[in-house]
Amino acid sequence: LGLVGSEICIRDRGLDGAHVLVRLDLNVPLGDGRVKDDTRVQAALPTVQWLLDAGARVALCSHLGKAKGSPDPAFSLAPVGAVLAEALGTSVPFATDCLDGDRHQRLEDAPVLLLENLRFHAGEKANDPAFGAALAAGFTHYVNDAFGTAHRAHASVTDVANRYGAGHKAAGRLMGREVAALRRAVENPAQPFVAVVGGAKVSTKTEPLRALLSRVRRLIIGGGMANTFLKAKGLQIGRSLVEDDMLETATAVMERAASKGIELLLPTDVVVAEAIQDAQDVQVVPVDAVPADRLIVDMGPDSRRRAAEALRDAQTVFWNGPMGVFEQPEFAAGTLAVAEAMAACDGFTVVGGGESVLAVKQAGVDTAIDHVSTGGGASLKFITGEPLPAIVALEV
């Protein structure tokens, strides 16, 4: 195991018989006790298989859902074990407690062991050294392949990693790919660099927006957060979602973009409706003609055309966040249009997690995107240039 050049990756070094603790992101959606989407499981397989092929015995750990520090059957990782077993072609025993005292004996009996949800212990989110010590006990090596949690200083991400020295800890292959791809969008990105930022709130994207303004030529803003920008420009937005306490921030972003000669694209027309669910009256209106009793739910056709045009000659594209109320199919057109425009772009394209990933999959263009990130929050923090706790812990 080791760090190679500027990319974090795995290197073969005496792993035969080693007991390796592997932090994965197996936070998959469940329904009726079954895994509904195994994307994250599939993403973890190359690292797990590589370790097995190298002769290692691997204990897999992850969080799932919003467990609150104690066991909760609704968030058990047990259903993931069946998916892993089928994918790996081997039995995957399950430890009903991630601190199971028999973990190492069980690894002698089988090469893979899945540990129960880390967040069934309050010490995980608290980054408690006592929990970290108990989790790491007996393992000779540590691998972190959970990019989706790389921005969180939790025990399995930072405390455990800090207990291992060089040659005994590393990032997995998925983590290595994530870091390499996102670095292309941070360190001297090919120009023109176009960023597309959507989602509901400006408040969750403030730092990424500021960071992007030092790198991009064009910035496309959509989704609910665009409403705050429109209101900051003095436009009426009806009953639409807005963050009044972020109006000054939105104004500052627009002023900085203008001062740096950055083209900032806001919607020119929008889709409005009287309700988000079961809408009966859906219209397209210019942004300066939003009815007082309507909600903005998507970008309009002209806005989609302008976004596609802005992406056409881009050499680097980063996208995070939907352009409208994407979970409602009738209001997904703007988000899907951005997905298709990115797929048609010849530049290096990165989709930064969450609903944006779902959009490129629904549009059937995910294979045309250069990098589809598994971590929305982590990719956003990486874009700001801030160090991610997981990466720092692996590099020490």
Side-chain angles (χ1 to χ4, degrees), residues 1 115 186 239 250 286 301 376:
L1 303 178
L115 307 182
V186 173
R239 296 190 293 113

Side-chain angles (χ1 to χ4, degrees), residues 357-375:
V357 173
L358 183 58
V360 296
K361 289 183 177 181
Q362 285 194 8
V365 298
D366 52 311
T367 57
I369 305 299
D370 290 299
H371 182 70
V372 179
S373 179
T374 58

Side-chain angles (χ1 to χ4, degrees), residues 1 13-15 18-22 51 136 138-143 160 164 167-170:
L1 303 178
R13 183 183 290 176
L15 290 178
H19 283 205
V20 183
L21 180 66
V22 185
L51 289 165
F139 290 99
T140 58
H141 298 78
Y142 168 81
V143 172
V160 171
Y164 294 84
H168 287 266
K169 63 181 175 182

Side-chain angles (χ1 to χ4, degrees), residues 25-248:
D25 182 2
L26 301 177
N27 185 26
V28 298
L30 300 177
D32 300 322
R34 300 173 62 87
V35 174
K36 295 172 65 177
D37 182 348
D38 68 350
T39 300
R40 287 177 172 164
V41 176
Q42 295 298 324
L45 294 178
T47 290
V48 176
Q49 191 61 61
W50 189 94
L51 289 165
L52 292 174
D53 291 344
R57 324 290 284 185
V58 296
L60 311 177
C61 64
S62 176
H63 75 284
L64 189 151
K66 298 189 180 298
K68 300 186 183 300
S70 60
D72 184 337
F75 300 121
S76 175
L77 276 163
V80 180
V83 178
L84 280 166
E86 182 177 359
L88 293 170
T90 186
S91 63
V92 178
F94 181 65
T96 56
D97 186 335
C98 64
L99 302 183
D100 187 333
D102 294 331
R103 293 176 301 178
H104 295 286
Q105 180 56 52
R106 297 182 73 175
L107 281 176
E108 292 300 321
D109 299 332
V112 189
L113 176 66
L114 176 63
L115 307 182
E116 182 57 284
N117 195 334
L118 294 165
R119 292 187 186 173
F120 283 3
H121 290 265
E124 164 65 357
K125 291 183 71 172
N127 197 18
D128 178 14
F131 175 75
L135 183 62
F139 290 99
T140 58
H141 298 78
Y142 168 81
V143 172
N144 188 344
D145 211 21
F147 182 74
T149 59
H151 60 309
R152 303 191 184 282
H154 292 171
S156 65
V157 173
T158 55
D159 182 84
V160 171
N162 287 329
R163 296 176 183 277
Y164 294 84
H168 287 266
K169 63 181 175 182
R173 292 184 167 178
L174 173 62
M175 181 84 82
R177 288 197 304 274
E178 292 273 13
V179 171
L182 289 167
R183 276 182 174 157
R184 286 186 61 176
V186 173
E187 302 171 1
N188 299 315
Q191 296 289 352
F193 179 10
V194 181
V196 184
V197 184
K201 296 182 177 181
V202 178
S203 56
T204 62
K205 307 280 175 72
T206 302
E207 291 307 315
L209 283 171
R210 288 172 178 160
L212 287 166
L213 286 174
S214 67
R215 302 186 182 100
V216 302
R217 295 273 181 85
R218 301 179 197 124
L219 177 60
I220 302 169
I221 294 179
M225 63 186 293
N227 302 337
T228 300
F229 280 81
L230 294 173
K231 186 170 182 178
K233 291 183 67 174
L235 295 171
Q236 300 300 312
I237 58 170
R239 296 190 293 113
S240 307
L241 172 71
V242 67
E243 290 180 288
D244 287 321
D245 59 342
M246 298 302 293
L247 293 174
E248 289 186 9

